[in-house]
Amino acid sequence: MARPRKPLLSRERIVTAAGALVDAEGLEAVSTRRLAAALGVSGPSLYNHFRTKDQILEAVADAVSARVDLSMFEEGDPRDWRTALADWAHSYRDALADHPHIVPVLARGPGRRPAGLRVADAVFGAMTAAGWPPAQATRIGALMRYFILGSAVASFARGFVDDETAYDPADYPHLGQAHLLAERQREVDQAAFETGLTALLDGLTLQHEALRGP
C-alpha cells in the first residue's frame, strides 16, 4: 500500500506554523530549523518560499493585519469618520490582542506588506474623503497606530504585583490599592483603551469642526 503523501509545502503552511511558534514562544522561537521540524520538511525547502527569517516574520505580521476589519472605510458605508476610526481601532486591537508577540514587527510600519498597506490606504483615503487635509490625514493614521499598537504591546495593570506589602504607603502614598490591579488586568486595560480612544476622538472632532464647521 502506498504511503500517504505529505501535504505540499506552501507559503500559507509556513506562515501558519511560524505564527503558532510566535504566539507560543515569541519572535526568537522562529528559526528555519524549528519551522522545518514542525512542518516535517528539510530546512532548505523553506527557502523556495522565503529567503530569510525576517521575510517569514513579515508574512506572519501581514496575516495579522489581514484580520483587521476595513469595511467601515468602504465607499457607501454609512459610518462617519469618527465612528469608522473607533470601529477600526477596536478591530485592530482585537487582532493584536490575539497575537501580541508580533506587535514589534507590525510597529516597524507596513513596508511592502500587502495587507498592512491596504490598512494604511483605507485609513488615509477615508480621512481625506471626510475633509481632512492630506498632511493631517497622515498624522491621524500615525497617531491611531501609535495608540493601538502601544495598547497591545504591554499591560499597565499586569505591571503591578498582587502583593499588598509591595507598596509601602510611606514610600508610595497613592498606591495603596495597586496590588489589586493585576487580578483585574483585562478590565483595567480595556477601560484604559476606551478612555484613551474617546479622548483622542474628542480632540480630533474639535479639530475637524474648526476645520469644516460643526
Side-chain angles (χ1 to χ4, degrees), residues 70-89:
L70 299 177
S71 63
M72 67 288 297
F73 298 130
E74 294 175 357
E75 186 176 354
D77 189 279
R79 283 169 281 192
D80 61 20
W81 68 268
R82 176 183 173 128
T83 304
L85 277 183
D87 290 348
W88 169 66

Side-chain angles (χ1 to χ4, degrees), residues 188-206:
V188 172
D189 290 344
Q190 180 65 33
F193 177 77
E194 298 293 347
T195 299
L197 181 60
T198 298
L200 283 176
L201 295 175
D202 284 349
L204 289 174
T205 298
L206 291 175

